[in-house]
PDB file of all heavy atoms in Angstrom:
ATOM      1  N   LEU E1902     127.844 -35.012 118.760  1.00 82.00           N
ATOM      2  CA  LEU E1902     128.375 -33.665 119.125  1.00 82.00           C
ATOM      3  C   LEU E1902     127.222 -32.646 119.569  1.00 82.00           C
ATOM      4  O   LEU E1902     127.486 -31.578 120.067  1.00 82.00           O
ATOM      5  CB  LEU E1902     129.013 -33.004 117.875  1.00 82.00           C
ATOM      6  CG  LEU E1902     130.257 -33.807 117.403  1.00 82.00           C
ATOM      7  CD1 LEU E1902     130.753 -33.198 116.187  1.00 82.00           C
ATOM      8  CD2 LEU E1902     131.245 -33.873 118.451  1.00 82.00           C
ATOM      9  N   SER E1903     125.964 -33.112 119.406  1.00 77.00           N
ATOM     10  CA  SER E1903     124.914 -32.111 119.805  1.00 77.00           C
ATOM     11  C   SER E1903     124.781 -31.794 121.310  1.00 77.00           C
ATOM     12  O   SER E1903     124.506 -30.817 121.793  1.00 77.00           O
ATOM     13  CB  SER E1903     123.538 -32.741 119.427  1.00 77.00           C
ATOM     14  OG  SER E1903     123.296 -34.016 120.064  1.00 77.00           O
ATOM     15  N   GLY E1904     125.318 -32.788 122.063  1.00 67.00           N
ATOM     16  CA  GLY E1904     125.416 -32.642 123.513  1.00 67.00           C
ATOM     17  C   GLY E1904     126.508 -31.676 123.981  1.00 67.00           C
ATOM     18  O   GLY E1904     126.405 -31.208 125.119  1.00 67.00           O
ATOM     19  N   PHE E1905     127.395 -31.390 123.068  1.00 63.00           N
ATOM     20  CA  PHE E1905     128.398 -30.389 123.455  1.00 63.00           C
ATOM     21  C   PHE E1905     128.333 -29.068 122.725  1.00 63.00           C
ATOM     22  O   PHE E1905     129.138 -28.155 122.856  1.00 63.00           O
ATOM     23  CB  PHE E1905     129.806 -31.099 122.960  1.00 63.00           C
ATOM     24  CG  PHE E1905     130.247 -32.250 123.659  1.00 63.00           C
ATOM     25  CD1 PHE E1905     129.839 -33.483 123.148  1.00 63.00           C
ATOM     26  CD2 PHE E1905     130.874 -32.201 124.902  1.00 63.00           C
ATOM     27  CE1 PHE E1905     130.207 -34.655 123.801  1.00 63.00           C
ATOM     28  CE2 PHE E1905     131.335 -33.422 125.495  1.00 63.00           C
ATOM     29  CZ  PHE E1905     130.955 -34.563 125.046  1.00 63.00           C
ATOM     30  N   SER E1906     127.088 -28.836 122.160  1.00 49.00           N
ATOM     31  CA  SER E1906     126.848 -27.597 121.419  1.00 49.00           C
ATOM     32  C   SER E1906     127.069 -26.353 122.320  1.00 49.00           C
ATOM     33  O   SER E1906     127.337 -25.312 121.757  1.00 49.00           O
ATOM     34  CB  SER E1906     125.473 -27.560 120.746  1.00 49.00           C
ATOM     35  OG  SER E1906     124.489 -27.704 121.752  1.00 49.00           O
ATOM     36  N   GLY E1907     126.769 -26.398 123.557  1.00 48.00           N
ATOM     37  CA  GLY E1907     126.951 -25.211 124.385  1.00 48.00           C
ATOM     38  C   GLY E1907     128.397 -25.103 124.955  1.00 48.00           C
ATOM     39  O   GLY E1907     128.772 -24.037 125.515  1.00 48.00           O
ATOM     40  N   GLU E1908     129.180 -26.128 124.893  1.00 55.00           N
ATOM     41  CA  GLU E1908     130.606 -26.036 125.539  1.00 55.00           C
ATOM     42  C   GLU E1908     131.525 -25.665 124.400  1.00 55.00           C
ATOM     43  O   GLU E1908     132.375 -26.545 123.879  1.00 55.00           O
ATOM     44  CB  GLU E1908     130.942 -27.460 126.178  1.00 55.00           C
ATOM     45  CG  GLU E1908     129.903 -27.855 127.232  1.00 55.00           C
ATOM     46  CD  GLU E1908     130.211 -29.209 127.708  1.00 55.00           C
ATOM     47  OE1 GLU E1908     131.402 -29.682 127.582  1.00 55.00           O
ATOM     48  OE2 GLU E1908     129.330 -29.811 128.371  1.00 55.00           O
ATOM     49  N   THR E1909     131.556 -24.435 124.061  1.00 57.00           N
ATOM     50  CA  THR E1909     132.269 -23.997 122.903  1.00 57.00           C
ATOM     51  C   THR E1909     133.853 -24.167 123.053  1.00 57.00           C
ATOM     52  O   THR E1909     134.548 -24.663 122.193  1.00 57.00           O
ATOM     53  CB  THR E1909     131.991 -22.498 122.541  1.00 57.00           C
ATOM     54  OG1 THR E1909     132.245 -21.774 123.811  1.00 57.00           O
ATOM     55  CG2 THR E1909     130.545 -22.314 122.150  1.00 57.00           C
ATOM     56  N   SER E1910     134.301 -23.797 124.228  1.00 64.00           N
ATOM     57  CA  SER E1910     135.784 -23.812 124.419  1.00 64.00           C
ATOM     58  C   SER E1910     136.291 -25.229 124.405  1.00 64.00           C
ATOM     59  O   SER E1910     137.372 -25.562 123.856  1.00 64.00           O
ATOM     60  CB  SER E1910     136.152 -23.147 125.653  1.00 64.00           C
ATOM     61  OG  SER E1910     135.433 -23.697 126.837  1.00 64.00           O
ATOM     62  N   ALA E1911     135.542 -26.160 125.151  1.00 65.00           N
ATOM     63  CA  ALA E1911     136.040 -27.542 125.268  1.00 65.00           C
ATOM     64  C   ALA E1911     135.855 -28.306 123.961  1.00 65.00           C
ATOM     65  O   ALA E1911     136.683 -29.024 123.455  1.00 65.00           O
ATOM     66  CB  ALA E1911     135.305 -28.273 126.396  1.00 65.00           C
ATOM     67  N   MET E1912     134.631 -28.242 123.405  1.00 71.00           N
ATOM     68  CA  MET E1912     134.258 -28.989 122.269  1.00 71.00           C
ATOM     69  C   MET E1912     134.891 -28.485 120.940  1.00 71.00           C
ATOM     70  O   MET E1912     135.511 -29.260 120.210  1.00 71.00           O
ATOM     71  CB  MET E1912     132.677 -29.057 122.166  1.00 71.00           C
ATOM     72  CG  MET E1912     132.204 -29.998 121.048  1.00 71.00           C
ATOM     73  SD  MET E1912     131.971 -29.004 119.423  1.00 71.00           S
ATOM     74  CE  MET E1912     130.696 -27.905 119.936  1.00 71.00           C
ATOM     75  N   LEU E1913     134.865 -27.215 120.658  1.00 74.00           N
ATOM     76  CA  LEU E1913     135.203 -26.669 119.413  1.00 74.00           C
ATOM     77  C   LEU E1913     136.807 -26.922 119.243  1.00 74.00           C
ATOM     78  O   LEU E1913     137.260 -27.042 118.148  1.00 74.00           O
ATOM     79  CB  LEU E1913     134.839 -25.192 119.277  1.00 74.00           C
ATOM     80  CG  LEU E1913     133.390 -25.040 119.031  1.00 74.00           C
ATOM     81  CD1 LEU E1913     133.064 -23.457 119.020  1.00 74.00           C
ATOM     82  CD2 LEU E1913     132.838 -25.629 117.762  1.00 74.00           C
ATOM     83  N   GLU E1914     137.557 -26.792 120.287  1.00 78.00           N
ATOM     84  CA  GLU E1914     138.998 -26.899 120.242  1.00 78.00           C
ATOM     85  C   GLU E1914     139.295 -28.281 119.653  1.00 78.00           C
ATOM     86  O   GLU E1914     140.303 -28.472 118.978  1.00 78.00           O
ATOM     87  CB  GLU E1914     139.499 -26.657 121.587  1.00 78.00           C
ATOM     88  CG  GLU E1914     141.097 -26.782 121.549  1.00 78.00           C
ATOM     89  CD  GLU E1914     141.693 -26.446 122.922  1.00 78.00           C
ATOM     90  OE1 GLU E1914     140.970 -26.012 123.801  1.00 78.00           O
ATOM     91  OE2 GLU E1914     142.860 -26.734 123.118  1.00 78.00           O
ATOM     92  N   ILE E1915     138.395 -29.373 119.973  1.00 82.00           N
ATOM     93  CA  ILE E1915     138.692 -30.650 119.639  1.00 82.00           C
ATOM     94  C   ILE E1915     138.205 -30.915 118.123  1.00 82.00           C
ATOM     95  O   ILE E1915     138.862 -31.615 117.418  1.00 82.00           O
ATOM     96  CB  ILE E1915     137.985 -31.580 120.623  1.00 82.00           C
ATOM     97  CG1 ILE E1915     138.679 -31.527 121.988  1.00 82.00           C
ATOM     98  CG2 ILE E1915     138.133 -33.066 120.131  1.00 82.00           C
ATOM     99  CD1 ILE E1915     137.850 -32.185 123.115  1.00 82.00           C
ATOM    100  N   VAL E1916     137.099 -30.404 117.874  1.00 83.00           N
ATOM    101  CA  VAL E1916     136.442 -30.781 116.558  1.00 83.00           C
ATOM    102  C   VAL E1916     136.551 -29.758 115.453  1.00 83.00           C
ATOM    103  O   VAL E1916     136.173 -29.993 114.317  1.00 83.00           O
ATOM    104  CB  VAL E1916     134.906 -31.002 116.843  1.00 83.00           C
ATOM    105  CG1 VAL E1916     134.647 -32.047 117.938  1.00 83.00           C
ATOM    106  CG2 VAL E1916     134.147 -29.715 117.137  1.00 83.00           C
ATOM    107  N   TRP E1917     137.095 -28.574 115.727  1.00 83.00           N
ATOM    108  CA  TRP E1917     137.087 -27.506 114.701  1.00 83.00           C
ATOM    109  C   TRP E1917     137.863 -27.862 113.498  1.00 83.00           C
ATOM    110  O   TRP E1917     137.357 -27.841 112.455  1.00 83.00           O
ATOM    111  CB  TRP E1917     137.661 -26.165 115.395  1.00 83.00           C
ATOM    112  CG  TRP E1917     137.423 -25.016 114.434  1.00 83.00           C
ATOM    113  CD1 TRP E1917     138.355 -24.384 113.657  1.00 83.00           C
ATOM    114  CD2 TRP E1917     136.248 -24.354 114.152  1.00 83.00           C
ATOM    115  NE1 TRP E1917     137.783 -23.378 112.985  1.00 83.00           N
ATOM    116  CE2 TRP E1917     136.413 -23.348 113.330  1.00 83.00           C
ATOM    117  CE3 TRP E1917     134.808 -24.550 114.672  1.00 83.00           C
ATOM    118  CZ2 TRP E1917     135.402 -22.521 112.795  1.00 83.00           C
ATOM    119  CZ3 TRP E1917     133.949 -23.632 114.241  1.00 83.00           C
ATOM    120  CH2 TRP E1917     134.184 -22.731 113.355  1.00 83.00           C
ATOM    121  N   GLN E1918     139.161 -28.277 113.731  1.00 84.00           N
ATOM    122  CA  GLN E1918     139.981 -28.610 112.598  1.00 84.00           C
ATOM    123  C   GLN E1918     139.631 -29.926 111.965  1.00 84.00           C
ATOM    124  O   GLN E1918     139.489 -29.959 110.682  1.00 84.00           O
ATOM    125  CB  GLN E1918     141.436 -28.545 113.038  1.00 84.00           C
ATOM    126  CG  GLN E1918     142.469 -28.911 111.911  1.00 84.00           C
ATOM    127  CD  GLN E1918     142.543 -27.870 110.805  1.00 84.00           C
ATOM    128  OE1 GLN E1918     142.569 -26.724 111.164  1.00 84.00           O
ATOM    129  NE2 GLN E1918     142.575 -28.290 109.637  1.00 84.00           N
ATOM    130  N   PRO E1919     139.461 -30.982 112.686  1.00 87.00           N
ATOM    131  CA  PRO E1919     139.258 -32.298 112.077  1.00 87.00           C
ATOM    132  C   PRO E1919     137.870 -32.442 111.533  1.00 87.00           C
ATOM    133  O   PRO E1919     137.672 -33.267 110.615  1.00 87.00           O
ATOM    134  CB  PRO E1919     139.475 -33.311 113.122  1.00 87.00           C
ATOM    135  CG  PRO E1919     139.258 -32.481 114.446  1.00 87.00           C
ATOM    136  CD  PRO E1919     139.628 -31.117 114.170  1.00 87.00           C
ATOM    137  N   ILE E1920     136.861 -31.668 112.030  1.00 88.00           N
ATOM    138  CA  ILE E1920     135.576 -31.964 111.472  1.00 88.00           C
ATOM    139  C   ILE E1920     134.933 -30.644 110.740  1.00 88.00           C
ATOM    140  O   ILE E1920     134.666 -30.793 109.593  1.00 88.00           O
ATOM    141  CB  ILE E1920     134.579 -32.177 112.709  1.00 88.00           C
ATOM    142  CG1 ILE E1920     134.882 -33.620 113.330  1.00 88.00           C
ATOM    143  CG2 ILE E1920     133.095 -32.263 112.223  1.00 88.00           C
ATOM    144  CD1 ILE E1920     134.096 -34.016 114.405  1.00 88.00           C
ATOM    145  N   VAL E1921     134.868 -29.531 111.388  1.00 88.00           N
ATOM    146  CA  VAL E1921     134.284 -28.410 110.777  1.00 88.00           C
ATOM    147  C   VAL E1921     135.080 -27.902 109.524  1.00 88.00           C
ATOM    148  O   VAL E1921     134.491 -27.946 108.367  1.00 88.00           O
ATOM    149  CB  VAL E1921     134.145 -27.190 111.740  1.00 88.00           C
ATOM    150  CG1 VAL E1921     133.586 -25.993 111.099  1.00 88.00           C
ATOM    151  CG2 VAL E1921     133.291 -27.622 113.000  1.00 88.00           C
ATOM    152  N   LEU E1922     136.388 -27.605 109.703  1.00 89.00           N
ATOM    153  CA  LEU E1922     137.112 -27.108 108.563  1.00 89.00           C
ATOM    154  C   LEU E1922     137.336 -28.326 107.495  1.00 89.00           C
ATOM    155  O   LEU E1922     137.292 -28.037 106.257  1.00 89.00           O
ATOM    156  CB  LEU E1922     138.433 -26.635 108.968  1.00 89.00           C
ATOM    157  CG  LEU E1922     138.469 -25.455 109.981  1.00 89.00           C
ATOM    158  CD1 LEU E1922     139.850 -24.991 110.298  1.00 89.00           C
ATOM    159  CD2 LEU E1922     137.608 -24.280 109.304  1.00 89.00           C
ATOM    160  N   HIS E1923     137.434 -29.546 108.016  1.00 89.00           N
ATOM    161  CA  HIS E1923     137.534 -30.637 107.050  1.00 89.00           C
ATOM    162  C   HIS E1923     136.340 -30.802 106.199  1.00 89.00           C
ATOM    163  O   HIS E1923     136.450 -31.069 104.949  1.00 89.00           O
ATOM    164  CB  HIS E1923     137.800 -31.926 107.881  1.00 89.00           C
ATOM    165  CG  HIS E1923     138.197 -33.106 106.970  1.00 89.00           C
ATOM    166  ND1 HIS E1923     139.150 -33.090 106.073  1.00 89.00           N
ATOM    167  CD2 HIS E1923     137.599 -34.323 106.952  1.00 89.00           C
ATOM    168  CE1 HIS E1923     139.228 -34.309 105.400  1.00 89.00           C
ATOM    169  NE2 HIS E1923     138.204 -35.070 105.939  1.00 89.00           N
ATOM    170  N   LEU E1924     135.075 -30.746 106.731  1.00 91.00           N
ATOM    171  CA  LEU E1924     133.931 -30.883 106.006  1.00 91.00           C
ATOM    172  C   LEU E1924     133.772 -29.733 105.000  1.00 91.00           C
ATOM    173  O   LEU E1924     133.255 -29.923 103.967  1.00 91.00           O
ATOM    174  CB  LEU E1924     132.813 -30.963 107.037  1.00 91.00           C
ATOM    175  CG  LEU E1924     132.594 -32.357 107.709  1.00 91.00           C
ATOM    176  CD1 LEU E1924     131.344 -32.355 108.660  1.00 91.00           C
ATOM    177  CD2 LEU E1924     132.351 -33.523 106.750  1.00 91.00           C
ATOM    178  N   ILE E1925     134.070 -28.515 105.502  1.00 90.00           N
ATOM    179  CA  ILE E1925     133.858 -27.288 104.514  1.00 90.00           C
ATOM    180  C   ILE E1925     134.806 -27.549 103.407  1.00 90.00           C
ATOM    181  O   ILE E1925     134.506 -27.253 102.247  1.00 90.00           O
ATOM    182  CB  ILE E1925     134.199 -26.022 105.360  1.00 90.00           C
ATOM    183  CG1 ILE E1925     133.146 -25.761 106.376  1.00 90.00           C
ATOM    184  CG2 ILE E1925     134.424 -24.857 104.348  1.00 90.00           C
ATOM    185  CD1 ILE E1925     133.485 -24.479 107.249  1.00 90.00           C
ATOM    186  N   GLU E1926     136.030 -28.068 103.679  1.00 90.00           N
ATOM    187  CA  GLU E1926     137.004 -28.297 102.572  1.00 90.00           C
ATOM    188  C   GLU E1926     136.460 -29.335 101.631  1.00 90.00           C
ATOM    189  O   GLU E1926     136.650 -29.224 100.372  1.00 90.00           O
ATOM    190  CB  GLU E1926     138.389 -28.783 103.180  1.00 90.00           C
ATOM    191  CG  GLU E1926     139.453 -28.849 102.203  1.00 90.00           C
ATOM    192  CD  GLU E1926     139.796 -27.627 101.435  1.00 90.00           C
ATOM    193  OE1 GLU E1926     139.669 -26.537 101.935  1.00 90.00           O
ATOM    194  OE2 GLU E1926     140.227 -27.703 100.281  1.00 90.00           O
ATOM    195  N   CYS E1927     135.963 -30.435 102.182  1.00 90.00           N
ATOM    196  CA  CYS E1927     135.386 -31.497 101.327  1.00 90.00           C
ATOM    197  C   CYS E1927     134.294 -31.006 100.389  1.00 90.00           C
ATOM    198  O   CYS E1927     134.169 -31.305  99.249  1.00 90.00           O
ATOM    199  CB  CYS E1927     134.808 -32.633 102.232  1.00 90.00           C
ATOM    200  SG  CYS E1927     136.157 -33.590 102.934  1.00 90.00           S
ATOM    201  N   ILE E1928     133.371 -30.222 100.976  1.00 90.00           N
ATOM    202  CA  ILE E1928     132.209 -29.640 100.225  1.00 90.00           C
ATOM    203  C   ILE E1928     132.726 -28.676  99.171  1.00 90.00           C
ATOM    204  O   ILE E1928     132.309 -28.658  98.014  1.00 90.00           O
ATOM    205  CB  ILE E1928     131.205 -28.873 101.131  1.00 90.00           C
ATOM    206  CG1 ILE E1928     130.672 -29.956 102.122  1.00 90.00           C
ATOM    207  CG2 ILE E1928     130.161 -28.138 100.416  1.00 90.00           C
ATOM    208  CD1 ILE E1928     129.736 -29.324 103.215  1.00 90.00           C
ATOM    209  N   THR E1929     133.665 -27.799  99.619  1.00 89.00           N
ATOM    210  CA  THR E1929     134.254 -26.825  98.619  1.00 89.00           C
ATOM    211  C   THR E1929     134.902 -27.594  97.536  1.00 89.00           C
ATOM    212  O   THR E1929     134.776 -27.165  96.324  1.00 89.00           O
ATOM    213  CB  THR E1929     135.171 -25.854  99.377  1.00 89.00           C
ATOM    214  OG1 THR E1929     134.424 -25.229 100.419  1.00 89.00           O
ATOM    215  CG2 THR E1929     135.576 -24.780  98.310  1.00 89.00           C
ATOM    216  N   THR E1930     135.805 -28.485  97.783  1.00 88.00           N
ATOM    217  CA  THR E1930     136.507 -29.145  96.734  1.00 88.00           C
ATOM    218  C   THR E1930     135.558 -29.980  95.843  1.00 88.00           C
ATOM    219  O   THR E1930     135.773 -29.917  94.512  1.00 88.00           O
ATOM    220  CB  THR E1930     137.466 -30.149  97.459  1.00 88.00           C
ATOM    221  OG1 THR E1930     138.371 -29.589  98.341  1.00 88.00           O
ATOM    222  CG2 THR E1930     138.299 -31.002  96.450  1.00 88.00           C
ATOM    223  N   ALA E1931     134.550 -30.471  96.364  1.00 87.00           N
ATOM    224  CA  ALA E1931     133.616 -31.253  95.395  1.00 87.00           C
ATOM    225  C   ALA E1931     132.918 -30.256  94.561  1.00 87.00           C
ATOM    226  O   ALA E1931     132.629 -30.565  93.307  1.00 87.00           O
ATOM    227  CB  ALA E1931     132.520 -31.974  96.316  1.00 87.00           C
ATOM    228  N   ALA E1932     132.524 -29.081  95.066  1.00 86.00           N
ATOM    229  CA  ALA E1932     131.782 -28.100  94.253  1.00 86.00           C
ATOM    230  C   ALA E1932     132.685 -27.516  93.211  1.00 86.00           C
ATOM    231  O   ALA E1932     132.178 -27.205  92.070  1.00 86.00           O
ATOM    232  CB  ALA E1932     131.216 -26.940  95.144  1.00 86.00           C
ATOM    233  N   LYS E1933     134.006 -27.371  93.424  1.00 84.00           N
ATOM    234  CA  LYS E1933     134.937 -26.781  92.486  1.00 84.00           C
ATOM    235  C   LYS E1933     135.416 -27.752  91.493  1.00 84.00           C
ATOM    236  O   LYS E1933     135.957 -27.318  90.432  1.00 84.00           O
ATOM    237  CB  LYS E1933     136.034 -26.161  93.226  1.00 84.00           C
ATOM    238  CG  LYS E1933     135.765 -24.944  93.990  1.00 84.00           C
ATOM    239  CD  LYS E1933     137.091 -24.305  94.612  1.00 84.00           C
ATOM    240  CE  LYS E1933     136.870 -22.961  95.323  1.00 84.00           C
ATOM    241  NZ  LYS E1933     138.146 -22.453  95.759  1.00 84.00           N
TER     242      LYS E1933
END
Side-chain angles (χ1 to χ4, degrees):
L1902 297 177
S1903 59
F1905 295 90
S1906 58
E1908 303 177 17
T1909 55
S1910 57
M1912 182 269 294
L1913 289 177
E1914 184 177 349
I1915 298 171
V1916 305
W1917 191 256
Q1918 179 66 42
I1920 293 182
V1921 177
L1922 298 183
H1923 184 58
L1924 288 178
I1925 291 176
E1926 182 63 28
C1927 288
I1928 294 171
T1929 304
T1930 302
K1933 285 184 172 183

